[in-house]
């Protein structure tokens, strides 16, 4: 049985199919761990959802910002952006089944694979959060999304404030910070205040901000855990992977929709033997 961690698919079902052929994936034997942004911008969002939903427990999927955007557009809470490619989901005969499946996926996972503890998120982890706290906070959001009041939650989900976590946060403010950290975070201050405008590489951090994983004293850095994340395609393409590996970080969004690669990390018993498999992608979008 093999475990594969896969970066942002974003509706690129053909590339995903080729990647799964390359790794000889078998749903009866192997497990896929997808790091969010399953849909949008690529040409076949509905096909991706149908494929992964059909794999049942063999595909463990996180929610990313684009997946949450799909839910918001489906409710009329947000307008579709120019360039969104989720109409095939919204107009599908199985629309409600697909959307119901999406909203029941988690925002963080913490499995032990081949003897290694992993923390999987779409975007990032605030520096004051431990692995256990991250998983617990993600579970709070998952419970609301899977519950009867999920539509009310989506109505209140958007916004950049509060910008930082506090243990005394309650209600919508608490859930909004959790969602923003796990699905949107790139840069934050050493105190954990988040910034959402800068989207390029490490050298584009605004004054006073750092990549979330470079904050001194980050709690997860002192734990025996490897963090796998997506979301930051300019990091995955520009930053040498061995730099991140030394810090037990895997940035697996390698820009499939921009004509980069779709990446899968096969977890092996020895960390040095982990295998990175990449499938070249057709550019579905041109960089802005």
């Amino acid at each position: 049985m093999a475990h594969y961690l896969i970066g942002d698919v974003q509706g690129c079902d053909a590339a995903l199919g080729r990647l799964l052929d390359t790794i000889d994936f078998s749903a009866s034997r192997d497990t896929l761990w997808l790091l969010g942004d399953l849909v949008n911008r690529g040409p076949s969002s509905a096909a991706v959802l149908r494929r992964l939903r059909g794999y049942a427990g063999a595909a463990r999927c996180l929610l990313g910002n684009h997946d949450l955007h799909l839910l918001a557009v489906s409710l009329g809470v947000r307008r579709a952006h120019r360039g969104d490619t989720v109409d095939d989901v919204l107009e599908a005969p199985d629309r409600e089944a697909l959307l119901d499946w999406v909203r029941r996926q988690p925002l963080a996972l913490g499995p032990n694979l081949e003897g290694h503890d992993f923390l999987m998120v779409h975007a990032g982890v605030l520096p004051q959060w431990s692995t256990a706290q991250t998983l617990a906070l993600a579970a709070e959001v998952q419970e609301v999304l899977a519950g009867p009041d999920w539509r009310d939650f989506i109505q209140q989900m958007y916004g950049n404030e509060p910008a930082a976590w506090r243990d005394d946060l309650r209600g919508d403010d608490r859930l909004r910070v959790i969602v923003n950290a796990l699905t949107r975070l790139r840069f934050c201050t050493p105190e954990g205040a988040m910034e959402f405008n800068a989207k390029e590489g490490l050298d584009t951090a605004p004054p006073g901000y750092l990549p979330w994983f470079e904050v001194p004293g980050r709690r997860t850095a002192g734990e025996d855990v490897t963090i796998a994340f997506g979301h930051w395609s300019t990091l995955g393409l520009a930053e040498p992977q061995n730099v991140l590996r030394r810090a037990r970080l895997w940035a697996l969004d390698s820009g499939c929709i921009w004509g980069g690669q779709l990446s899968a990390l096969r977890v092996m018993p020895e960390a040095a033997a982990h295998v990175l498999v990449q499938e070249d992608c057709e550019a579905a979008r041109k960089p802005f």
Side-chain angles (χ1 to χ4, degrees):
M1 182 176 70
H3 294 277
Y4 295 95
L5 283 57
I6 298 179
D8 301 31
V9 177
Q10 292 202 247
C12 296
D13 186 65
L16 178 58
R18 293 195 304 271
L19 179 63
L20 298 185
D21 287 343
T22 297
I23 64 177
D24 192 28
F25 168 70
S26 169
S28 64
R29 178 192 64 216
D30 306 322
T31 304
L32 308 175
W33 303 82
L34 290 104
L35 302 177
D37 278 2
L38 310 175
V39 303
N40 205 15
R41 292 180 169 171
S44 306
S45 292
V48 169
L49 296 182
R50 291 190 188 106
R51 178 194 293 272
L52 297 174
R53 181 170 176 256
Y55 290 151
R60 304 290 304 278
C61 303
L62 296 177
L63 293 181
N65 52 302
H66 283 279
D67 309 310
L68 293 172
H69 177 65
L70 167 64
L71 295 176
V73 172
S74 77
L75 296 176
V77 172
R78 302 283 278 191
R79 291 186 176 182
H81 299 150
R82 182 176 61 87
D84 279 352
T85 59
V86 294
D87 283 351
D88 60 342
V89 179
L90 300 176
E91 298 171 3
D94 54 347
R95 162 194 163 120
E96 294 309 317
L98 295 177
L99 294 173
D100 186 70
W101 180 84
V102 168
R103 74 180 178 92
R104 295 179 188 279
Q105 304 312 303
L107 273 72
L109 289 164
N112 182 283
L113 306 179
E114 302 289 354
H116 307 283
D117 286 329
F118 277 88
L119 175 59
M120 302 177 191
V121 297
H122 175 62
V125 179
L126 287 175
Q128 61 266 58
W129 290 354
S130 66
T131 297
Q133 185 177 12
T134 302
L135 293 170
L137 294 174
E140 292 183 25
V141 177
Q142 184 181 3
E143 181 179 6
V144 174
L145 276 174
D149 298 326
W150 72 278
R151 294 174 180 83
D152 295 336
F153 165 67
I154 295 290
Q155 292 271 0
Q156 303 300 322
M157 182 178 67
Y158 284 96
N160 295 341
E161 298 294 332
W165 174 254
R166 299 195 320 270
D167 288 336
D168 63 350
L169 287 173
R170 296 292 182 267
D172 293 330
D173 283 351
R174 179 182 180 90
L175 297 175
R176 190 180 306 115
V177 172
I178 298 168
V179 167
N180 283 343
L182 295 177
T183 70
R184 299 178 62 202
L185 177 62
R186 291 186 180 91
F187 297 104
C188 64
T189 67
E191 296 74 32
M194 296 178 282
E195 196 279 341
F196 300 111
N197 292 319
K199 299 182 179 180
E200 298 303 319
L202 296 181
D203 59 353
T204 65
Y209 290 83
L210 295 166
W212 63 266
F213 49 80
E214 291 189 352
V215 171
R218 172 172 59 89
R219 287 191 67 184
T220 46
E223 298 178 329
D224 187 16
V225 64
T226 298
I227 300 179
F229 62 101
H231 186 58
W232 203 341
S233 63
T234 49
L235 174 64
L237 289 171
E239 182 69 9
Q241 287 288 339
N242 61 350
V243 173
L244 297 182
R245 289 182 200 176
R246 284 200 296 271
R248 291 191 300 180
L249 294 159
W250 282 94
L252 290 173
D253 180 3
S254 43
C256 183
I257 58 163
W258 311 116
Q261 295 81 36
L262 185 61
S263 294
L265 177 71
R266 180 173 180 176
V267 179
M268 305 298 287
E270 296 294 329
H274 293 338
V275 178
L276 184 65
V277 182
Q278 294 185 301
E279 182 68 33
D280 289 337
C281 300
E282 305 87 0
R285 291 287 297 273
K286 294 180 179 179
F288 294 110

